[in-house]
Amino acid sequence: MTGQPNELLFGSFITPRADHIEQVVALTQLSERAGLDLATFQDHPYQPRLLDSWTLISYLAAATSRIRLAPNVMNLPMRQPVVIARSAATLDLLTAGRVELALGAGGFWDAIEAIGGRRLSAGESIDALEEAITVIREIWDTDTRGGVRVDGTHYRVAGAKRGPAPAHDVGIWVGAYRPRILRLVGRVADGWVPSLSYLDGGLAGLAEANRHIDEGAAAAGRDPASIRRLLNIGDHFTPDGSTNLTGPLAEWTEQLAEITLEHGMTGYILAGDDPTTIQQFGEEVAPAVRELVEKART
């Protein structure tokens, strides 16, 4: 990758449990107090034990003042792209630019179909994702005259009015693991947000995944370094707490700095609901990683 223009981001990945609403709110507010940049939440509309992520994020926007908020990742097959675009822009305007948008092409097709969603093949879901990103960007593009027209296979928009535009350039990040969708990230998305535990080969799989993203970007005439690379990581600072990242805080700091410098990752999102760990991640790990990376780069 050429250069690393994106600043380092650190965030939390909080379980939106419907039976622990007060905890979800408290952990989000703790994430903000600890200095984290981002709080994120999984999105599974077919799962009744979880809060609806978009409704939750809207509520949390009023319960916080600085931290950015995002789904991680939004279940695209259950939501119309025009509605996603207008919902994200509306909340971004209401929060003065604190919303990011992470999308997933879909999975758990039995559950999606059970509540009225369309079952798609892997290839169809990737095509639908690319069409949806096009629709979302067109809705946000209020500088272009005329209505939005996208004649896609999965999403068709016939003259929809544009707007509102969000308060800032909302990042469209994609959860992706396989070569074809990784190349799509490079071609049309603003960022990549995988979970380390799902990557083939764990940390060793980062180089191969990044290669596909870079190839997609180059084929589209984009600078690969313009694409943010975030990583969902586990929540234990103990030697046996993770199969990929291990050791006490100091070792995590060194490992995350090494991953940043070697693989160009520019964001780390901590999955887990332990308040002490979230606080340590924001107050101790994040500033230490930034310092190590800055020293290495200068």
Side-chain angles (χ1 to χ4, degrees), residues 23 47 118 183 188 209 242 286 288:
Q23 175 182 294
Q47 179 53 266
R118 297 174 297 160
R183 289 192 291 271
V188 301
S242 168

Side-chain angles (χ1 to χ4, degrees), residues 92-115:
D92 197 56
L93 289 165
L94 291 169
T95 61
R98 292 197 289 128
V99 172
E100 307 296 348
L101 183 60
L103 298 175
F108 307 103
W109 294 106
D110 288 344
I112 290 172
E113 193 173 44
I115 62 170

Side-chain angles (χ1 to χ4, degrees), residues 13-257:
F13 192 177
I14 299 164
T15 309
R17 292 179 55 177
D19 60 346
H20 285 70
I21 295 174
E22 291 183 358
Q23 175 182 294
V24 175
V25 176
L27 290 176
T28 305
Q29 293 171 328
L30 173 63
S31 299
E32 181 170 73
R33 291 196 305 274
L36 291 174
D37 306 290
L38 185 69
T40 71
F41 310 88
Q42 58 185 286
D43 179 53
H44 298 287
Y46 41 76
Q47 179 53 266
R49 70 179 182 84
L50 300 178
L51 297 165
D52 172 73
S53 66
W54 203 243
T55 306
L56 173 63
I57 288 170
S58 298
Y59 181 88
L60 292 172
T64 55
S65 61
R66 178 196 60 79
I67 199 165
R68 290 186 242 178
L69 303 162
N72 190 354
V73 290
M74 179 169 284
N75 192 302
L76 175 61
M78 303 305 306
R79 304 173 189 275
Q80 279 290 334
V82 170
V83 177
I84 292 174
R86 290 187 171 146
S87 298
T90 296
L91 192 55
D92 197 56
L93 289 165
L94 291 169
T95 61
R98 292 197 289 128
V99 172
E100 307 296 348
L101 183 60
L103 298 175
F108 307 103
W109 294 106
D110 288 344
I112 290 172
E113 193 173 44
I115 62 170
R118 297 174 297 160
R119 180 183 290 273
L120 301 176
S121 68
E124 289 171 336
S125 69
I126 294 171
D127 292 339
L129 174 62
E130 184 161 7
E131 291 177 10
I133 291 174
T134 298
V135 171
I136 291 168
R137 293 198 195 283
E138 287 291 317
I139 291 293
W140 289 344
D141 181 12
T142 54
D143 292 331
T144 298
R145 297 175 62 87
V148 175
R149 297 187 179 276
V150 176
D151 188 20
T153 301
H154 304 280
Y155 299 110
R156 297 182 180 179
V157 183
K161 294 186 181 298
R162 299 175 185 272
H168 85 296
D169 290 333
V170 172
I172 299 179
W173 306 333
V174 173
Y177 300 93
R178 301 302 179 193
R180 183 181 171 193
I181 192 171
L182 289 167
R183 289 192 291 271
L184 176 145
V185 172
R187 192 168 63 250
V188 301
D190 299 307
W192 175 46
V193 55
S195 292
L196 180 56
S197 59
Y198 291 164
L199 274 174
D200 287 344
L203 288 173
L206 281 175
E208 180 70 7
N210 273 320
R211 182 176 65 80
H212 290 297
I213 293 172
D214 293 350
E215 288 175 355
R222 304 177 73 198
D223 179 1
S226 68
I227 300 160
R228 177 174 286 287
R229 327 275 170 129
L230 302 108
L231 190 62
N232 294 320
I233 58 177
D235 67 345
H236 298 288
F237 297 126
T238 58
D240 59 351
S242 168
T243 58
N244 300 105
L245 289 168
T246 60
L249 297 185
E251 290 185 25
W252 267 58
T253 296
E254 292 170 1
Q255 290 181 78
L256 293 181

